[in-house]
Amino acid sequence: VFPSYDDPLLEESGMVIASESDNGDETERKRYDRFRDRIMFPIRSVQGEVIGFGGRVLAQGEPKYLNSPETPVFIKGRELYGLYEARTAMRQRGFALVVEGYMDVVALAQSGYANVVATLGTACTAEHVQKLFRFTDSVVFSFDGDAAGRRAAGRALEASLPHASDTRSVRFLFLPAEHDPDSFVRERGAEAFERCIEQATPLSRQLIDEARSGCDLSQAEGKARFVAMARPLWTALPDGSLQRQLLREIASMGGLEAAELAELWRGQPGGFRSGRPIDQTAKGAAASRPSLDGLPRGMGSPGKLRRAAARRAPSSPADQALRMLLLHSAWWEQLSQDDHELLHGLAAPHGTVFSWLERQLADHGAMSWAELKQAQTAADPPLPDAAEVPVAALQDDMQFADLRRVLDRMWIERLSLRQTELIARAATDASALHEWREVTRQRDALLKSMTGLAQDQPLYP
């Protein structure tokens, strides 16, 4: 059943545009179809729900592409066109291909590339990258070879760096300036495009190229500028083998020893210690997330499992949520997209295991704990120890409401931390107080909805 044209929901969702005109003694309110004379592209959430629309003009007109305005369920910086349809193909092909337009997705799908997604008229964000890594460990960004494409690649590089662990791959494909993926495939064919993918630039090389742009490395001043430009990019990488290898390469290109460069950066504001960058944002986020200290390692025999469960019950809401979802994986589909983002955003190893769980459910549907345990042993790369959890510590008569209560506790903690951050900002940022009021309203509503949980009670049992 479709809503009538004057249904207020159409206006709220941006499908129609309302305007008022003065018609003598009366004010006339008119509604216009936002997407008139356009081909429509439904935009789905990762759960398959239609949350917005895109439209492309049929003839002449501007803008060529038009998206629904943002709503509480549709935020462009978080959504990717075609992700719901591409999830399985990403697993089969081993990588996700990110392009810039709907027609690129359609054209490549017609040529056999079902693992393609597109951003929604915005630059690639860290949330886009994080969402892609929930379904694959390899991402290829495809850009036009012109100046705009190079700028877009720079933004995608910055968004990818915090997620570029040693087990993940990010590459950058640049087409000739006169082509986009749609025109390239139509003119040169899928095989030529496949060769372009194989030759795509790895993230490490793209980082170096981005930093050395405009730097004359034949001069000391150019080397110094290159080192300065490379530092914020290198610092955004997570600690690991890739980051340390790049430190040596940057030092060599800058005419320094790796130890000299490390010492130089340590002595500057925003430096690092022990080869690991100090990221205050990540530091604060990590402090807000439950710890895994003391989590039992290894499943072993049923007897060992029972002894481990007896020694340690679930110690944090993140532990509890993971155990519940491993035991009742069908509950995953009952959670909202915001809940999914909350769980994926947890620090490793929890976030890593939730991403693995979603991949399994996308490929195979709801799975029993025995099936998940078997899949875990074959995971490549191996999963963190958080996947080997003592689900026997949970009662068999759990209900979905128990999981909902655990997640609400996690949301309350996150909102409480946000309140503290906003109060600190309010002295210099007037908008922080407005946001603080909204965050407080959300937190209070959650507290009231949780039976028996008063505001002065601890959040954890």
Side-chain angles (χ1 to χ4, degrees):
V1 178
F2 292 94
S4 63
Y5 194 66
D6 59 354
D7 191 307
L9 180 61
L10 290 176
E11 185 177 338
E12 293 173 17
S13 63
M15 295 298 293
V16 300
I17 301 173
S19 63
E20 294 182 353
S21 60
D22 192 359
N23 187 15
D25 297 333
E26 297 181 356
T27 299
E28 186 177 2
R29 185 174 177 80
K30 296 183 178 179
R31 288 182 171 85
Y32 302 90
D33 180 2
R34 178 184 295 271
F35 293 101
R36 59 190 178 278
D37 298 328
R38 293 177 183 269
I39 299 174
M40 299 297 290
F41 296 83
I43 300 169
R44 291 179 163 189
S45 70
V46 74
Q47 288 82 30
E49 301 165 333
V50 176
I51 55 175
F53 291 91
R56 186 188 190 282
V57 292
L58 291 170
Q60 300 298 317
E62 292 294 337
K64 185 176 181 181
Y65 289 97
L66 183 65
N67 290 319
S68 296
E70 293 195 344
T71 67
V73 298
F74 176 51
I75 301 173
K76 298 173 187 177
R78 290 171 51 177
E79 305 300 337
L80 290 157
Y81 176 72
L83 179 58
Y84 175 75
E85 293 82 0
R87 296 178 305 168
T88 301
M90 287 179 188
R91 298 286 289 163
Q92 294 171 344
R93 293 294 299 267
F95 68 97
L97 181 61
V98 185
V99 296
E100 296 186 82
Y102 308 126
M103 296 306 297
D104 294 327
V105 174
V106 173
L108 290 172
Q110 290 174 337
S111 299
Y113 290 92
N115 56 325
V116 188
V117 299
T119 52
L120 296 166
T122 64
C124 182
T125 67
E127 288 185 271
H128 287 146
V129 177
Q130 183 181 40
K131 185 167 286 189
L132 286 169
F133 278 133
R134 287 158 53 176
F135 300 98
T136 180
D137 290 322
S138 180
V139 175
V140 178
F141 291 100
S142 174
F143 297 102
D144 301 348
D146 56 14
R150 293 284 172 178
R151 288 194 298 271
R155 292 191 290 269
L157 173 67
E158 293 174 2
S160 302
L161 289 171
H163 306 288
S165 68
D166 294 343
T167 58
R168 291 170 173 170
S169 167
V170 179
R171 291 178 291 157
F172 297 82
L173 184 165
F174 296 97
L175 295 173
E178 68 274 13
H179 280 296
D180 57 25
D182 182 2
S183 64
F184 186 91
V185 170
R186 293 181 188 280
E187 181 177 316
R188 302 193 186 183
E191 291 185 4
F193 190 72
E194 186 69 31
R195 288 194 294 272
C196 289
I197 293 175
E198 294 171 356
Q199 299 166 8
T201 304
L203 177 139
S204 58
R205 180 50 44 195
Q206 185 66 22
L207 184 153
I208 295 294
D209 290 346
E210 185 79 10
R212 71 182 297 176
S213 177
C215 300
D216 183 355
L217 297 185
S218 67
Q219 300 179 3
E221 291 84 356
K223 292 179 180 179
R225 175 178 170 79
F226 163 71
V227 168
M229 297 295 289
R231 182 168 178 254
L233 300 174
W234 180 89
T235 302
L237 285 166
D239 186 25
S241 175
L242 175 62
Q243 190 196 44
R244 298 181 186 193
Q245 290 180 64
L246 278 169
L247 177 69
R248 290 194 291 270
E249 185 170 355
I250 293 167
S252 176
M253 294 177 66
L256 299 168
E257 296 293 332
E260 288 181 304
L261 181 57
E263 185 63 30
L264 173 66
W265 282 352
R266 280 194 191 98
Q268 295 176 356
F272 63 95
R273 299 187 180 92
S274 302
R276 182 163 189 160
I278 298 176
D279 183 340
Q280 296 299 331
T281 303
K283 223 172 121 185
S288 71
R289 291 166 180 152
S291 169
L292 275 178
D293 292 342
L295 194 66
R297 299 176 66 87
M299 291 296 299
S301 65
K304 181 179 178 182
L305 175 62
R306 286 191 291 272
R307 289 193 296 273
R311 285 196 304 269
R312 181 174 178 83
S315 60
S316 71
D319 292 340
Q320 295 175 21
L322 181 56
R323 289 169 169 83
M324 289 181 181
L325 285 166
L326 288 173
L327 198 58
H328 299 278
S329 65
W331 290 352
W332 181 264
E333 290 300 323
Q334 298 182 47
L335 299 179
S336 69
Q337 185 169 345
D338 285 338
D339 290 330
H340 288 171
E341 299 293 343
L342 172 71
L343 296 174
H344 285 297
L346 294 174
H350 282 116
T352 304
V353 180
F354 279 120
S355 295
W356 170 82
L357 176 62
E358 184 172 49
R359 293 183 196 178
Q360 294 299 313
L361 302 182
D363 289 346
H364 307 293
M367 302 171 69
S368 68
W369 163 238
E371 291 172 321
L372 286 169
K373 181 181 174 184
Q374 183 177 8
Q376 180 265 326
T377 60
D380 184 20
L383 286 176
D385 293 327
E388 302 178 356
V389 294
V391 295
L394 295 173
Q395 299 176 355
D396 292 336
D397 60 351
M398 285 186 307
Q399 303 295 320
F400 179 76
D402 297 316
L403 174 62
R404 181 70 266 162
R405 183 178 177 85
V406 169
L407 293 177
D408 285 347
R409 288 175 183 270
M410 295 172 69
W411 277 115
I412 289 170
E413 178 185 317
R414 172 171 286 193
L415 293 170
S416 298
L417 288 167
R418 186 61 179 158
Q419 283 179 309
T420 303
E421 295 170 0
L422 291 168
I423 286 295
R425 275 178 41 199
T428 56
D429 183 357
S431 65
L433 186 59
H434 175 76
E435 186 179 348
W436 176 84
R437 292 193 183 100
E438 175 59 23
V439 168
T440 300
R441 183 193 65 77
Q442 295 175 14
R443 180 181 181 275
D444 290 347
L446 274 175
L447 284 167
K448 290 178 182 178
S449 70
M450 296 179 69
T451 306
L453 182 62
Q455 292 200 24
D456 58 349
Q457 285 183 292
L459 294 179
Y460 306 119

